Amino acid sequence: MSLFSKLGPQGRALMGPTGSGSSFESYAGRKVEEGPQELDYLINDLRNSSQSMSVNKVLGYMYHYLPFVKVEHNLRLVFASFLNNPTCFTPGGASFESNYQIIEAFKAITDKKLSVSQPTIPVKTWYTVLFQELDHFVAYDIHRNSWKVLPILSGILLSNSLRDDLYSNPNMIEFGWFFGDWDSKAHDLFVKALGNTLAAYNSDDIINLSLLSLAVTYKRDQDITSYTPSVSVSFLITRLIQLIFANTSYSLQVYEKFFAFDINAANLHDTLNSEVMNKPVVKHLNRLSFLLESYYRVLPINKTGFDLIMDGLSKIKLFNASLCTRTQDSVFNHPNSIKDQSVLHQQFWFFMKNIFFSECIIVQGIMTRFLSVNQSKGFSIFSIFKETYNIESEYRFIALKVVESFYHLNHILVNIGQGGFDSFNFVYYLSLELIFGAQPSIVELEKLSMFLLGYPNVNLNADVINFNPINRGRVLFVMGLWENYLQKNSFNNDYIKRNIFPICFDVVNNRGIQAYEIIEAAHSVLLLCFSNKRVNKNLKELMEYIELIVNQFPRILSAQQLSIAVESLGKQILSNPMVYEGSMYANSADEFLEFINFKCLNTKSGIPISIKASDSMFTSAQPIGEIHAESTMKSLETKKQNINIVAENKIKKPKDLVPLGMLPEATVAPTEYNFAKRLVPETSREAMVLSFVNLVPYLPLSVFLRWLEKIFFVIESSNHSEKTYLISMFWKVLSENLDLNRCELAYRWWYETKKAVAKNIGQEVSRL
């Protein structure tokens, strides 16, 4: 059979007439119209593209024809012509960014085909023809043609959700099994083509296009090794790091373009999309990150794997440091930039958030590898001394590198908020746990912290802290490290005394600093310094710090922050007071209590404070936003319950305890007082006295009653509204927060010495 007889009408028309005249007879004896048809021009353009032909134009032809084709033969002819198109598929011709559009185009083509309503080729036939052509195309020349089918298959597979909604789910018998089988064969062809494409001899454009095709095809719950069983994981990780972070044209380094845009440009939104947000790597950043995470999970446990991880983290750290430096010198490093409503600022911080989240995903894969290895090791003597020890030692170095890398991105976390970053919390706290697991890595963290807080990384000048958000983000990150450091048992007292305490104290004592989040973070670090029993405390420094805290209320510190600080510090002093000789005070506890008493007496009544500020705790510099101090204030919002002190202590009532049954019925149980429901102080005197009241559970027994009298005197010296509120808070502490011994003394003092029932103290409060 001749070639002429095999061709369809359009193909025979291209060959020209076989005899004289202006027409010729077709293979089936039918008359063929003179001259080429529209389809013939399309095929010719696809197979013999001119130099002026662009990838966009070729894909435009495909989009306008493939979904509506009515003849199976024509579908095969056009699709085969596209596979041989020199504009799209000549190695070294079109770039990675141009060829990426094939993925988008075939998703759009498939979506259109699935939803088109006019009579066309049946959907099952359409899918069958395309797969057969792709399969034959790869088989014809597996080494040259494999990379060409990957973006096409990826684009088609991206439409699976729409396909299943329209066809498989409504009609499982007719379409479900067919598409299930088609997906299986498409996966096998994709894996076959991918294995013959991901090789060092191919160009960067081809490898990057293949990796992106894999990223949009791979699902996170799948086994990644099933896609690339014969390709080196090290090779894939190296190329993915390069694709995501290293290329100046289309990797995440396109953030540089933000600094050149004019905020007042007319078509700024379109320009941002075309030059930044719609770049292939940016658009599919999450998919690429999940892909890299999966490869890190399966990276072999050996020296090569460790070196590969460290090299990748080093490149990410350099990227982050450069990003941080460039942002610091830009318009985006402005106190109100995150609140700016301009398109440029919104898109910039959205991009920064995506970068931060993608790195969390990548590092999560590295850390998960460590956990999975340790869980599978068991407790054999060989795993402990050979493999487990080595990998834990290596991961301490990895953890230090992770901490240093995220230090450069902390300004992003501060600007966009910490909600929804569970991945970051996981990698951050796991890294710190690894670091604190051995003394050498702790020493390295101490050195790293001082390096990160020193010049040229950070400037602690008040003006710089106030007006440089990136500088503040770096300071907060280091203070967060110190908070964790102080909560471990393996810290260095000399390091705390020489570095942590003086730096943080200088920050909170600097009246020029207006960035309250920095002041609060420094306070939370200092409170941990003083509350930790293993830290060597200087009483003079402690008293200076207490005085500083009291003087900063209410200008800087809220009522609850004041209460937390006074209680935390008071607990330390009152639990182990230092005896004085030749002093007006008997011991340090006496000096501390007299100081608080003096401040309460000299705080004027009736000065209102901000109610909104009163309910805030110290903001921690860590991802978890509050310091969890054991404060009496924390329990104030809990629902009142009947609390029997004797039952709570699970011992018999002492014989000399005042029999509760003999007291007037209305005052038997503390909770029977109908006290005012207000729990938050509204004036500065209420807040100051309340912090004094909250020290009652820690008063030494030897002076317990004497200080109850002084506290009561301070309360009685307040105005009527303050007195009413403070009595209710005082009784709440006496009735709910004391141990058995103090409870006995307090009840006797309340009912016998103060004669609360006879004087109607409880009833006076209950009338409110």
Side-chain angles (χ1 to χ4, degrees):
M1 185 179 297
S2 66
L3 176 62
F4 183 83
S5 61
K6 293 180 181 179
L7 294 176
Q10 291 80 10
R12 290 195 294 273
L14 286 175
M15 293 185 64
T18 56
S20 59
S22 60
S23 65
F24 61 91
E25 293 297 320
S26 70
Y27 168 66
R30 293 169 295 180
K31 196 83 168 184
V32 178
E33 297 180 3
E34 182 179 358
Q37 304 297 303
E38 181 180 343
L39 182 58
D40 299 311
Y41 286 114
L42 172 60
I43 295 171
N44 182 66
D45 284 344
L46 291 175
R47 289 186 173 270
N48 304 291
S49 296
S50 63
Q51 292 184 352
S52 62
M53 182 77 74
S54 66
V55 174
N56 267 342
K57 191 171 184 179
V58 172
L59 295 175
Y61 288 159
M62 301 301 292
Y63 177 79
H64 288 291
Y65 182 79
L66 283 190
F68 307 101
V69 65
K70 300 178 181 179
V71 180
E72 179 181 338
H73 175 75
N74 292 346
L75 176 63
R76 293 183 183 275
L77 192 61
V78 172
F79 191 59
S81 300
F82 169 72
L83 293 174
N84 288 280
N85 178 258
T87 299
C88 295
F89 296 117
T90 300
S95 67
F96 158 65
E97 290 188 71
S98 297
N99 276 16
Y100 155 76
Q101 297 173 81
I102 297 173
I103 298 176
E104 298 282 358
F106 269 87
K107 181 186 185 305
I109 289 169
T110 308
D111 287 348
K112 177 63 71 174
K113 173 60 188 175
L114 292 170
S115 57
V116 70
S117 58
Q118 63 182 0
T120 60
I121 292 177
V123 169
K124 290 164 66 173
T125 304
W126 193 86
Y127 270 86
T128 300
V129 168
L130 262 58
F131 176 79
Q132 289 175 349
E133 290 299 320
L134 291 171
D135 190 33
H136 296 160
F137 186 64
V138 171
Y140 180 76
D141 193 335
I142 192 169
H143 295 293
R144 292 186 179 182
N145 293 342
S146 289
W147 71 272
K148 303 175 184 179
V149 307
L150 294 174
I152 300 173
L153 280 172
S154 296
I156 296 173
L157 292 171
L158 281 175
S159 295
N160 278 7
S161 58
L162 176 63
R163 181 199 70 186
D164 293 340
D165 288 342
L166 295 178
Y167 292 90
S168 296
N169 296 336
N171 196 335
M172 179 60 67
I173 295 178
E174 181 179 358
F175 293 102
W177 292 340
F178 169 80
F179 284 124
D181 180 62
W182 193 95
D183 288 343
S184 177
K185 291 188 294 185
H187 172 79
D188 293 342
L189 179 60
F190 187 91
V191 171
K192 177 182 177 181
L194 193 64
N196 288 285
T197 301
L198 294 175
Y201 57 77
N202 276 322
S203 67
D204 288 346
D205 285 328
I206 290 177
I207 292 175
N208 289 337
L209 181 64
S210 302
L211 290 173
L212 191 62
S213 300
L214 173 60
V216 302
T217 303
Y218 169 70
K219 292 182 177 57
R220 201 178 182 191
D221 58 346
Q222 294 176 313
D223 178 14
I224 189 58
T225 57
S226 67
Y227 279 89
T228 53
S230 59
V231 185
S232 167
V233 175
S234 298
F235 172 79
L236 292 164
I237 290 176
T238 301
R239 298 310 295 258
L240 280 169
I241 289 287
Q242 180 179 338
L243 172 62
I244 298 173
F245 295 101
N247 190 284
T248 56
S249 300
Y250 47 73
S251 74
L252 293 182
Q253 291 196 30
V254 296
Y255 74 82
E256 290 275 358
K257 295 187 177 182
F258 275 103
F259 307 125
F261 288 135
D262 180 6
I263 194 172
N264 298 315
N267 298 320
L268 180 60
H269 188 272
D270 294 337
T271 305
L272 281 170
N273 284 336
S274 63
E275 296 192 23
V276 178
M277 306 307 292
N278 285 336
K279 291 286 186 178
V281 172
V282 176
K283 190 170 184 178
H284 295 287
L285 182 57
N286 283 354
R287 295 175 183 268
L288 287 166
S289 301
F290 285 129
L291 182 63
L292 184 54
E293 175 204 26
S294 297
Y295 278 121
Y296 270 128
R297 287 173 184 261
V298 299
L299 185 65
I301 308 298
N302 51 38
K303 182 65 166 54
T304 302
F306 170 70
D307 291 340
L308 186 65
I309 290 175
M310 291 298 289
D311 179 67
L313 288 175
S314 295
K315 290 178 179 176
I316 293 174
K317 188 205 79 171
L318 290 174
F319 171 85
N320 292 348
S322 176
L323 171 64
C324 187
T325 301
R326 292 287 288 116
T327 306
Q328 186 167 245
D329 299 330
S330 73
V331 68
F332 302 106
N333 187 31
H334 186 275
N336 296 320
S337 62
I338 190 61
K339 300 177 182 178
D340 198 300
Q341 297 302 309
S342 72
V343 173
L344 185 63
H345 281 78
Q346 290 178 1
Q347 292 283 36
F348 177 81
W349 287 109
F350 177 75
F351 190 21
M352 294 299 105
K353 179 179 179 179
N354 286 344
I355 290 176
F356 188 93
F357 185 68
S358 70
E359 290 192 20
C360 292
I361 294 171
I362 293 168
V363 177
Q364 183 175 266
I366 297 174
M367 292 303 179
T368 305
R369 169 181 178 263
F370 166 76
L371 292 178
S372 61
V373 167
N374 275 323
Q375 290 171 359
S376 65
K377 292 297 180 185
F379 294 96
S380 71
I381 190 69
F382 298 104
S383 66
I384 293 175
F385 288 103
K386 289 182 67 176
E387 296 177 355
T388 305
Y389 173 79
N390 288 336
I391 193 171
E392 288 182 359
S393 177
E394 290 175 351
Y395 262 84
R396 290 189 182 101
F397 289 103
I398 291 172
L400 285 165
K401 187 69 72 175
V402 169
V403 167
E404 186 178 3
S405 182
F406 279 113
Y407 160 82
H408 295 289
L409 296 186
N410 198 53
H411 66 282
I412 300 175
L413 192 62
V414 171
N415 272 329
I416 64 179
Q418 298 167 343
F421 282 104
D422 292 339
S423 295
F424 173 70
N425 289 341
F426 168 73
V427 299
Y428 177 79
Y429 286 109
L430 178 56
S431 296
L432 293 181
E433 286 299 321
L434 289 166
I435 292 170
F436 292 128
Q439 191 61 35
S441 55
I442 296 175
V443 174
E444 289 300 318
L445 182 66
E446 292 172 355
K447 295 177 182 177
L448 178 63
S449 298
M450 294 310 299
F451 168 74
L452 297 178
L453 204 60
Y455 181 83
N457 293 313
V458 165
N459 189 333
L460 292 176
N461 179 275
D463 290 337
V464 178
I465 289 179
N466 292 337
F467 300 103
N468 190 328
I470 290 182
N471 191 75
R472 291 204 298 270
R474 288 170 165 173
V475 174
L476 285 172
F477 189 86
V478 176
M479 288 186 176
L481 295 180
W482 283 347
E483 285 186 18
N484 277 278
Y485 177 82
L486 288 163
Q487 295 177 65
K488 305 301 176 183
N489 294 321
S490 50
F491 53 73
N492 183 341
N493 263 299
D494 289 337
Y495 178 77
I496 296 172
K497 184 177 181 180
R498 286 184 287 104
N499 299 304
I500 296 180
F501 180 82
I503 290 175
C504 291
F505 191 83
D506 287 346
V507 168
V508 298
N509 198 32
N510 190 334
R511 295 181 67 88
I513 295 178
Q514 302 298 319
Y516 292 150
E517 67 271 27
I518 295 291
I519 295 176
E520 290 189 21
H523 272 303
S524 69
V525 174
L526 289 171
L527 287 174
L528 286 171
C529 284
F530 287 117
S531 63
N532 195 305
K533 295 180 180 179
R534 292 186 62 250
V535 176
N536 295 331
K537 303 172 184 68
N538 184 307
L539 186 59
K540 180 182 177 182
E541 291 176 343
L542 181 54
M543 292 305 298
E544 287 178 355
Y545 181 54
I546 292 172
E547 186 169 2
L548 174 66
I549 284 176
V550 173
N551 291 336
Q552 286 186 342
F553 169 78
R555 181 176 61 90
I556 295 176
L557 301 182
S558 70
Q560 190 169 6
Q561 289 169 339
L562 173 70
S563 183
I564 291 171
V566 171
E567 182 178 349
S568 298
L569 298 171
K571 208 165 27 170
Q572 297 300 310
I573 297 175
L574 298 175
S575 63
N576 189 22
M578 182 181 297
V579 178
Y580 293 160
E581 292 184 6
S583 172
M584 61 182 294
Y585 303 111
N587 50 45
S588 57
D590 190 36
E591 180 183 5
F592 169 71
L593 291 171
E594 287 290 357
F595 172 77
I596 300 298
N597 183 50
F598 175 80
K599 287 293 183 182
C600 291
L601 288 172
N602 286 275
T603 302
K604 294 182 179 180
S605 294
I607 301 176
I609 57 175
S610 171
I611 300 299
K612 184 176 181 181
S614 299
D615 59 4
S616 63
M617 302 180 72
F618 279 109
T619 301
S620 169
Q622 301 181 66
I624 295 177
E626 293 180 350
I627 179 171
H628 297 292
E630 294 179 2
S631 171
T632 305
M633 293 290 289
K634 284 187 64 178
S635 64
L636 294 184
E637 297 297 338
T638 58
K639 186 178 180 181
K640 258 189 174 179
Q641 299 175 352
N642 270 326
I643 299 177
N644 187 314
I645 300 295
V646 176
E648 283 292 306
N649 284 272
K650 297 182 180 179
I651 61 174
K652 292 183 178 180
K653 177 174 60 177
K655 293 180 181 179
D656 56 351
L657 182 64
V658 177
L660 298 183
M662 296 179 65
L663 298 174
E665 202 171 77
T667 61
V668 169
T671 51
E672 290 185 14
Y673 284 122
N674 186 24
F675 285 156
K677 295 182 179 180
R678 180 164 67 90
L679 300 175
V680 178
E682 295 179 347
T683 68
S684 58
R685 184 177 178 88
E686 285 180 351
M688 192 68 235
V689 176
L690 183 61
S691 68
F692 198 10
V693 169
N694 289 334
L695 292 173
V696 170
Y698 314 108
L699 293 173
L701 286 171
S702 60
V703 295
F704 186 74
L705 294 178
R706 178 163 68 91
W707 281 105
L708 286 186
E709 288 285 356
K710 289 195 174 188
I711 293 173
F712 192 78
F713 177 78
V714 170
I715 294 174
E716 288 284 307
S717 302
S718 306
N719 65 32
H720 177 75
S721 174
E722 292 171 340
K723 176 183 174 182
T724 302
Y725 167 75
L726 290 171
I727 286 176
S728 69
M729 294 296 100
F730 188 37
W731 175 248
K732 184 176 180 68
V733 172
L734 295 180
S735 61
E736 297 183 10
N737 295 346
L738 301 184
D739 60 27
L740 189 59
N741 291 328
R742 289 177 175 80
C743 179
E744 177 186 352
L745 293 173
Y747 273 30
R748 284 188 175 186
W749 175 82
W750 181 262
Y751 290 111
E752 296 182 359
T753 303
K754 302 308 294 183
K755 301 186 183 303
V757 176
K759 294 180 179 179
N760 294 326
I761 294 177
Q763 281 73 10
E764 178 185 342
V765 176
S766 67
R767 283 196 298 269
L768 297 179

